[in-house]
Amino acid sequence: MSIPRRTVLAVAAGATATTVAPAQAAQASGDPVPAPTVRALRAAADYAVEKLRAVAPGVTSFPVGTKAEKWVYSQNGDWVGGFWPGTLWMAYLHSGDQVFRTLALDSARRLAPRRYDTTTHDLGFLFSPSWVTAWRLTGDDYWRAGAIEAAGSLIQRYNPHGHFIRAWGALNDPVNAGRVIMDTIMNLDLLAFASRETGDGRYLRVAVEHARTAQRVFPRPDGSTPHVFDFDPDTGAPIGPNTVQGYSPDSCWSRGQAWGIYGFTTMYHRTGDQQFLSTARRLADFAVGALSPDHVPVWDYRAPQAPYDVKDASAGAVMACGLLDLSAATGRHDYRQVALRILTALAQTCLTRNSTRAQAIVARCTRNRPAEDGVEISLPYADYYLLEGILRVLRPQDVDRAIDLSTV
């Protein structure tokens, strides 16, 4: 497979935020953003910055979720460690406050040992919003080199029999050896980054092969997806759909659906493959059709009590980012309009404004409903993707400097 070569945007050290002009709050399509929407999103971003100013100086490890509205921490970052420095980077872009830049770099450094972790597929979540963004915003090659090392660990999880990246478990652990989950599609961009930076096609080749496997087995005819798909790890033969965080193998876990929308759109950006774009649209069309009028996704679109079951604001934040990306890739303005409605709904109904105790930004999240683990809590990726989504609207050029919104 030939690897598309692109010129990486030159990034100067130290971003400086500027006042948002009304015309800046629109994508290249020129779609205007209604003034009330701009006000709501700016107020939410301002709230996030003030919350982080109060909380972040006291954070010395990685938030994984809340208990009684206070962050619970992991020393090594678990699978979510990249989102805390990523959130600080987004706060830096919005505010221009150098304190957030310093805190983001300090937090990212604590992830350094995870570069060599071959026990998880989540190295993209760990290193893309932290180390890749750090390199793009500072130009310091330390971050670039470390992200490439993490990509080298990730490709060791590739199963050549089934053409997939194993989700869970150590490389020598037979348990879950053939298990693939929708979330992995979001980790593939770390591999695309490594190929682009090194010229070594192995990384992107693995990413593309995994994405092609995922687009073959996950989407149902109506565009919904299961959380899990199992293979025989020795032969690569498909076994069938399953779930861990969704209601059932036949249901549609909303955050997994959102990962798919965003992840397949990103794979289109990195390859130009129209099939990935088509898959993203199928998943988006189902999710948009499944949204309730309040525009905050239920935790599983096919749970028995849906659409009146508990919500997952984190699924909404991820979905909004994916829809904004998809709108730019397809020219479909309706995707952008839905994304704006989701972001506005999150900004107006899902923030922690009414609590003086809360340390997070976004409430009404659900981590694992079947296990009754983290229902109606805050989650670090909700904070990160809400800010990313808002800044995609208010400051698209700044976000592009941080995470690369370009297409080959």
Side-chain angles (χ1 to χ4, degrees):
M1 176 184 301
S2 62
I3 305 302
R5 301 303 304 270
R6 296 181 295 139
T7 302
V8 179
L9 292 174
V11 289
T16 302
T18 57
T19 303
V20 181
Q24 190 178 351
Q27 286 190 331
S29 63
D31 284 353
V33 181
T37 300
V38 172
R39 286 195 295 270
L41 298 187
R42 185 183 288 116
D46 290 345
Y47 172 76
V49 165
E50 291 310 307
K51 177 65 70 175
L52 289 165
R53 279 203 178 101
V55 173
V59 173
T60 58
S61 52
F62 300 99
V64 297
T66 55
K67 184 175 183 180
E69 300 183 286
K70 302 294 185 183
W71 284 125
V72 176
Y73 297 100
S74 165
Q75 289 299 315
N76 77 348
D78 197 76
W79 73 271
V80 301
F83 294 118
W84 179 248
T87 300
L88 296 170
W89 281 124
M90 294 299 109
Y92 169 57
L93 291 178
H94 182 63
S95 67
D97 189 337
Q98 293 290 324
V99 170
F100 291 125
R101 182 182 188 274
T102 300
L103 291 171
L105 293 171
D106 289 345
S107 178
R109 285 189 188 95
R110 298 190 192 103
L111 289 172
R114 300 296 300 277
R115 290 174 289 176
Y116 312 111
D117 186 351
T118 61
T119 68
T120 178
H121 71 126
D122 285 316
L123 291 162
F125 283 132
L126 288 168
F127 285 91
S128 289
S130 56
W131 286 50
V132 174
T133 295
W135 175 69
R136 290 180 63 83
L137 292 179
T138 70
D140 185 342
D141 195 62
Y142 171 78
W143 306 108
R144 171 187 172 276
I148 292 169
E149 288 175 314
S153 298
L154 178 56
I155 60 171
Q156 294 182 51
R157 301 184 63 77
Y158 178 68
N159 182 313
H161 303 295
H163 305 283
F164 62 81
I165 294 173
R166 171 183 180 167
W168 296 319
L171 297 178
N172 60 355
D173 185 350
V175 178
N176 292 321
R179 179 145 285 192
V180 179
I181 66 174
M182 180 58 80
D183 316 39
T184 305
I185 194 74
M186 289 291 290
N187 289 303
L188 303 182
D189 201 33
L190 182 66
L191 300 180
F193 170 81
S195 270
R196 189 165 65 246
E197 292 303 312
T198 65
D200 186 341
R202 292 177 304 154
Y203 303 101
L204 184 59
R205 190 156 49 243
V206 166
V208 168
E209 291 185 5
H210 177 93
R212 285 179 176 159
T213 298
Q215 77 176 0
R216 186 178 73 250
V217 302
F218 276 98
R220 304 183 182 108
D222 65 356
S224 66
T225 60
H227 176 209
V228 172
F229 197 95
D230 289 319
F231 294 85
D232 182 315
D234 296 320
T235 67
I239 295 173
N242 210 321
T243 198
V244 172
Q245 288 172 261
Y247 177 77
S248 77
D250 299 319
S251 71
C252 185
W253 178 50
S254 61
R255 192 161 69 247
Q257 191 80 5
W259 294 139
I261 295 166
Y262 195 160
F264 279 111
T265 304
T266 299
M267 284 304 296
Y268 163 73
H269 283 312
R270 304 309 178 225
T271 65
D273 189 330
Q274 290 287 333
Q275 292 185 0
F276 293 142
L277 190 63
S278 176
T279 299
R281 290 183 61 174
R282 288 175 61 195
L283 270 57
D285 291 345
F286 175 85
V288 169
L291 280 176
S292 50
D294 66 357
H295 283 85
V296 181
V298 68
W299 74 278
D300 189 305
Y301 293 123
R302 287 185 171 150
Q305 301 303 316
Y308 306 109
D309 209 332
V310 295
K311 299 289 188 172
D312 182 10
S314 74
V318 175
M319 180 178 171
C321 291
L323 288 175
L324 289 171
D325 219 4
L326 188 57
S327 175
T330 62
R332 285 273 302 271
H333 306 306
D334 52 334
Y335 290 140
R336 180 170 169 80
Q337 295 308 309
V338 175
L340 292 174
R341 287 195 287 271
I342 292 171
L343 290 172
T344 303
L346 298 179
Q348 294 179 335
T349 70
C350 295
L351 300 190
T352 57
R353 283 192 177 105
N354 293 332
S355 172
T356 58
R357 286 178 48 85
Q359 293 183 326
I361 299 161
V362 181
R364 301 182 72 192
C365 299
T366 299
R367 181 163 49 205
N368 189 336
R369 173 74 157 143
E372 293 298 320
D373 171 27
V375 178
E376 291 288 343
I377 64 168
S378 296
L379 294 166
Y381 35 95
D383 288 4
Y384 171 76
Y385 286 110
L386 177 66
L387 272 177
E388 181 191 307
I390 289 174
L391 296 189
R392 279 174 174 265
V393 177
L394 299 183
R395 302 180 183 277
Q397 294 175 339
D398 287 336
V399 174
D400 185 53
R401 292 171 53 230
I403 62 174
D404 188 2
L405 305 182
S406 62
T407 303
V408 296

